[in-house]
Amino acid sequence: QVQLIESGGGLVQAGGSLRLSCAASGRTFSSYAVGWFRQAPGKEREFVTAINHSGGSTYYADSVKGRFTISRDNAKNTVYLQMNSLKPEDTAVYYCAASSSWSAVQRSYGYWGQGTQVTVSS
């Protein structure tokens, strides 16, 4: 079992940066892969990035590659999403999710946070 809470969202101008945090419960956090997903109004939830249990492997959607960086600090039970060069199309509610294995497929993730709003103005 793991509980996830996202934070760090807000309003930023295009070209700016935000750092999101995903705080997790449980001493077994280090055994979970963690993914970030986002959902814009009227659109389906989409994959953004994921990191394996140790942080040694990452994967990014093409839309954010080179701009976003996922990392984790297992000692703090926290996963981070550093977002740079933000664009208006990045506006969405961002969710973190935990999986027993590393995956970009939403159905692989059994635990989800409540989300944090990111708004990028032009």
Side-chain angles (χ1 to χ4, degrees):
Q1 299 292 327
V2 61
Q3 184 175 351
L4 307 172
I5 302 176
E6 303 94 337
S7 63
L11 176 64
V12 64
Q13 290 188 331
S17 298
L18 283 174
R19 189 193 194 197
L20 306 184
S21 296
C22 175
S25 64
R27 68 171 187 168
T28 61
F29 173 71
S30 62
S31 69
Y32 290 93
V34 174
W36 285 96
F37 299 80
R38 66 187 183 186
Q39 186 169 25
K43 297 184 178 180
E44 296 297 315
R45 187 171 58 195
E46 65 176 356
F47 172 80
V48 177
T49 182
I51 189 167
N52 77 335
H53 68 283
S54 68
S57 296
T58 59
Y59 182 77
Y60 299 89
D62 288 341
S63 60
V64 305
K65 189 175 297 182
R67 300 188 298 119
F68 291 11
T69 302
I70 188 171
S71 62
R72 68 190 298 162
D73 186 341
N74 286 340
K76 296 181 179 179
N77 274 15
T78 302
V79 170
Y80 304 98
L81 180 62
Q82 179 66 47
M83 305 186 295
N84 299 326
S85 301
L86 283 162
K87 304 175 181 179
E89 50 263 46
D90 294 319
T91 295
V93 176
Y94 283 71
Y95 301 88
C96 65
S99 173
S100 60
S101 62
W102 187 55
S103 177
V105 180
Q106 293 187 49
R107 63 178 178 269
S108 297
Y109 292 83
Y111 304 96
W112 293 80
Q114 292 298 307
T116 185
Q117 177 71 48
V118 172
T119 303
V120 184
S121 63
S122 59

